[in-house]
Amino acid sequence: MFVLCLSKPYLPDLLGKAGLLLQFSDSAQPDVELRRAAVRSMANLCLSVPGQPYLDESYRSVCFQTFLSILQSSKTSDVDDITFCMLLQNALKGIQSLLNGGKMKLMQTDQLGSLLAVLKKCMFHGLPGLSIEMPPALYPAPLPQYDKRSPVKQEQSELAAFKQTGNRRKKSKGKQKKGEFGEDTKEDLADTGNESIHEIDMLKLHLGDVQNGPCSDPRTHALDVAYMPAGKDHLSSHYNSWKRISSSESEYSDAEGGIQSKMRSYQAKVRQGALACFLSAIKSIEKRVLYGYWSAFVPDAPGIGSPQSVSLMTIALKDPSPKTRACSLQVLSAILEGSKQFLSVAEDANDHKRAFTPFSVTIASSIRELHRCLLLALVAESSSQTLTQIIKCLANLVSNAPYNRLKPGLLTRVWNQIKPYICHKDVNVRVSSLTLLGAIVSIQAPLPEVQLLLQQPSSSGLNNSGTGTPHRFNSSEQWRKTLPLEGEPPDNPGNMPSEPCWLIRLCISIIVLPREDSCSDSDANFPSGSVYEPSPVRLESLQNDRQILCITLLLGLNHSENPLVKAAAARALGVYILFSCLRQDVMFVADTANAILNSLHDKSPNVRAKAAWSLGNLTDTLIVNMETMGQSFQEEFSDLLLLKMLRSATEASKDKDKVKSNAVRALGNLLHFLQPYHITNPRFRETIEESLQALISTVQSEATMKVRWNACYALGNVFKNPALPLGEAPWTTQAYSALSSVVKSCKNFKVRIKSAMALSIPSKRECYGPTEQFCQIWSALVVALQKSEDTEDFLEFKYSASLRTQICQALIHLLSLAKNTDLPFISETITENGDAIKSYVLQYMKSGVEENEAGMHTDLCEREKALKGAIEHLCGIEKQLEGKARIRVSVYLEDILTNHVNATELTEA
């Protein structure tokens, strides 16, 4: 770092037009070692040093182009393989440093496409039996991108890959070391070529139920879920595909083998570097841009006679290095994370009989292929660290895939394949397996498939006769034989419905039963036999003792020192608080609030994010209770706790975006919940002002769109509280100004919709403040209506109709409240923009039944009623003006209503 800092004043001499590093790194440089050293130095200059200014844009651009040209170049005859690998590694390291520095954004399509093309090329560098040709750049396209491999060449290359890699995944006898992606480089170097391989192209996952397999060993399950071509003894041929290759079969001498092993290690490092660089690129570009390249990196089912395109799953299934396999899965997880909106278009529930393949069917096919490939990787993997990444990737896929639009069966196969791994010897595999099961049962739309899975008997798919996969639990299977709860008879064979779901019993047993000595090394820091001691909770209103047990455990686990446990407990409390039988219990709500606030101040960002989400849910229930139970609930709820929640939510609104988005949602609910005596209380006054300022600043901030959407929603909730001095307090002007700015200029239409909705919530004219402020709001909405079709992002265009609907509702609402001093300005606006406004309002009136952003239905009659109400109100106001207005707004609206009625009658005729 000292050398790096010293080199800053000499950057023009190093990276200028005639800079030394540019000269030495040029492809014409005859000294290969000098060129490699120059590229390495350039990569080091791109590192971000705390407290030091980063490279200027001109230098960043020069370095990026240099690295890119190196990655695009081919190996020449005068460069040996290892040196070329080191050159590629240094170039990849340099690009990754540029991306991680946070200063470089891949905005241009050509720049991004060129980078993704070379990264894909390097991801497969030296992969045995696979050689791909990439175009100079990739371009966003919804269909699978061209892969220059004929079916014949693909079969030959895959056969060669099988012969070369032999036993790809043989387990290491020693303990596995944990690194960022899995085993360290030494293990890669030692085990390359000695690991077992699964002949993927001959192994097809059986689509039926696998729960009746004879053992829980994943490799043994592979035998049960695979079939081979007809006419052969599939079992013997399958075993032959797993035969170990002895050392006498090696094609190399000891010296040659050492060189080959070293070269394979360097090639693996290039692939790992490309994947790590791709991971940084994913974080540097918007997801909507990234998904344009979906088909280049995510597998799709091949067509008849077409080769299987290479993708990240090709690496996960065929790479001999467990670390590289884990890298590819980590990248795939990053792509899948947050893909719910993109994948929501997928649909294959109906048979496809069209002449062309719709985009929805293409995406559905890709989702199915991902399930197939990941389950193949699951049964073939032996590395615990890579296995963990496979399961995490499956969990991300399950969390984002629209299973309600897909043919059933996918979740059943995932469920049955993952069950053996909840007893795996490695604690990380067990945790990720439970996370995957949690993702399945957390799918929002209740699916009959999931309900059937939960009704399976506990022994389904969990037979202990296998020996391949070490289990955490002993032969007594204590989790299936948990001691009966208080008041429950020991045995209940004749009344099966009273037995809780096996998954619930498993989760409870993991929490309350002593730890086994056979646990993996990851558990070594916990004393054997220790159990969590949950704190007591007052739940007198509950009669079900199992509910009491679960709640007591969750409140106790919320104080765990393990951040993963604490985060899961905080989230679970956020789910429990939504149950009607619990949210009406003031004591339970208070206990949950205290537990969540404790987690909201945790040092772990993940714990704080889960706690903020749960706090948002809890405050939602406060509003529901206020509306259904009235003042009785509000009076029982502690004022001190309410003040504490306000302060904590205000502080959390300054946290990271994942925390902030739910913190502002909670603030809106809490400010809505306040009663008049709270607002006049001096102890609350300062905190209320700080909370309001936090919301206003968040609306105006450059935070993520989800955060700003929640902030607009929260301000709308604030406006619903009649006890707040809306229209009088100074913060009112700031709130309306922030919302008016957003509704006109925010690039995200859903945020605009929510801001327009918030502006239409106040029910009285005085809430909008003086005439000047009212007119500013009116003017902002008119401008927003005219700009409702202006967007640079075609993905936003589909929300333009909803935006116009919400703005028209807001304008008619303002007209129904306007007073005489407001009409001159409104008349002037109509004079200037009357034709445009009229066309939009007519379109709004005739659009029929439509679900708006809030999920409310506004039918034709309600729209006509609102417009007629505005006309009647304006007629009364205009009589007071005695013709002083330039244009009668009521006449203008009557003309719109007449045109609408005539058009409706003509349509019906």
Side-chain angles (χ1 to χ4, degrees), residues 139-145 289-296 298-300 342 345 357-364 366 794:
Y139 294 96
L143 299 176
Q145 303 209 11
V289 177
L290 173 65
Y291 293 142
Y293 301 91
W294 174 273
S295 58
V298 180
D300 187 18
F342 172 72
V345 301
T357 303
F359 183 64
S360 59
V361 176
T362 301
I363 296 299
S366 182
F794 73 95

Side-chain angles (χ1 to χ4, degrees), residues 698-717:
T698 304
V699 170
Q700 298 171 318
S701 70
E702 296 297 324
T704 61
M705 296 306 161
K706 181 179 180 181
V707 173
R708 299 181 73 186
W709 186 97
N710 275 318
C712 293
Y713 172 83
L715 276 181
N717 260 341

Side-chain angles (χ1 to χ4, degrees), residues 551 554-555 558 568-577 588 592 595-596 614:
I551 293 167
L554 283 181
L555 290 172
N558 196 75
R571 188 188 184 282
L573 286 172
V575 174
Y576 274 36
I577 196 66
F588 173 73
T592 302
I596 291 173
S614 295

Side-chain angles (χ1 to χ4, degrees), residues 175-188 272 322-324 326-327 330 383-386 388-389 392 426 428 522:
K175 292 185 178 179
Q176 294 172 331
K177 297 182 180 179
K178 296 180 180 178
E180 181 182 358
F181 293 111
E183 285 82 356
D184 58 11
T185 307
K186 292 182 179 179
E187 187 175 7
D188 290 345
Q272 293 160 19
K323 184 174 182 180
T324 312
C327 286
Q330 196 170 19
S383 164
S384 295
Q385 284 74 22
T386 309
T388 301
Q389 290 297 333
K392 286 181 177 179
D426 187 273
N428 294 312
S522 303

Side-chain angles (χ1 to χ4, degrees), residues 409-672:
L410 289 176
L411 290 173
T412 300
R413 291 192 283 279
V414 174
W415 181 276
N416 291 325
Q417 285 293 94
I418 201 60
K419 286 170 84 172
Y421 295 91
I422 61 179
C423 303
H424 195 275
K425 67 173 183 177
D426 187 273
V427 65
N428 294 312
V429 175
R430 298 200 301 272
V431 169
S432 57
S433 300
L434 289 171
T435 301
L436 175 54
L437 290 174
I440 294 175
V441 300
S442 299
I443 293 175
Q444 290 185 353
L447 298 177
E449 184 179 1
V450 176
Q451 294 175 352
L452 289 174
L453 291 173
L454 289 171
Q455 293 171 8
Q456 288 180 351
S458 61
S459 59
S460 178
L462 284 167
N463 195 302
N464 277 331
S465 60
T467 58
T469 302
H471 289 20
R472 178 187 179 191
F473 299 102
N474 58 28
S475 59
S476 64
E477 288 296 343
Q478 292 176 326
W479 68 272
R480 294 190 206 144
K481 301 178 180 180
T482 306
L483 293 176
L485 300 171
E486 183 180 354
E488 179 185 6
D491 295 301
N492 189 15
N495 191 12
M496 292 302 294
S498 66
E499 181 183 356
C501 168
W502 68 268
L503 185 55
I504 294 178
R505 297 182 72 91
L506 169 62
C507 294
I508 292 174
S509 69
I510 291 173
I511 297 170
V512 301
L513 290 180
R515 295 177 181 269
E516 297 287 332
D517 291 333
S518 59
C519 291
S520 68
D521 294 338
S522 303
D523 292 330
N525 56 339
F526 291 96
S528 177
S530 64
V531 295
Y532 289 108
E533 292 294 337
S535 59
V537 60
R538 296 178 60 185
L539 293 171
E540 294 86 351
S541 61
L542 294 178
Q543 298 177 352
N544 191 321
D545 47 7
R546 291 196 185 95
Q547 287 184 346
I548 295 176
L549 173 61
C550 292
I551 293 167
T552 305
L553 288 171
L554 283 181
L555 290 172
L557 290 172
N558 196 75
H559 297 278
S560 171
E561 295 181 0
N562 186 324
L564 292 176
V565 174
K566 192 169 185 177
R571 188 188 184 282
L573 286 172
V575 174
Y576 274 36
I577 196 66
L578 299 176
F579 298 152
S580 57
C581 62
L582 295 177
R583 70 165 184 251
Q584 295 176 1
D585 181 356
V586 177
M587 293 308 301
F588 173 73
V589 174
D591 288 332
T592 302
N594 280 309
I596 291 173
L597 293 181
N598 171 268
S599 296
L600 197 60
H601 295 91
D602 194 86
K603 63 181 180 181
S604 168
N606 185 42
V607 173
R608 297 199 303 274
K610 301 296 184 186
W613 179 81
S614 295
L615 182 63
N617 286 2
L618 187 146
T619 55
D620 284 342
T621 65
L622 293 183
I623 303 302
V624 173
N625 288 341
M626 179 180 70
E627 294 172 349
T628 57
M629 300 173 64
Q631 287 190 345
S632 61
F633 180 86
Q634 293 170 287
E635 291 172 356
E636 288 185 54
F637 197 78
S638 168
D639 292 348
L640 188 60
L641 179 57
L642 183 61
L643 181 60
K644 186 179 177 183
M645 292 170 68
L646 263 176
R647 289 172 176 169
S648 296
T650 303
E651 187 64 27
S653 68
K654 305 170 186 175
D655 206 330
K656 297 183 177 182
D657 283 354
K658 285 188 176 182
V659 179
K660 186 185 297 184
S661 61
N662 286 297
V664 294
R665 175 164 71 102
L667 277 178
N669 286 328
L670 291 169
L671 291 168
H672 183 192

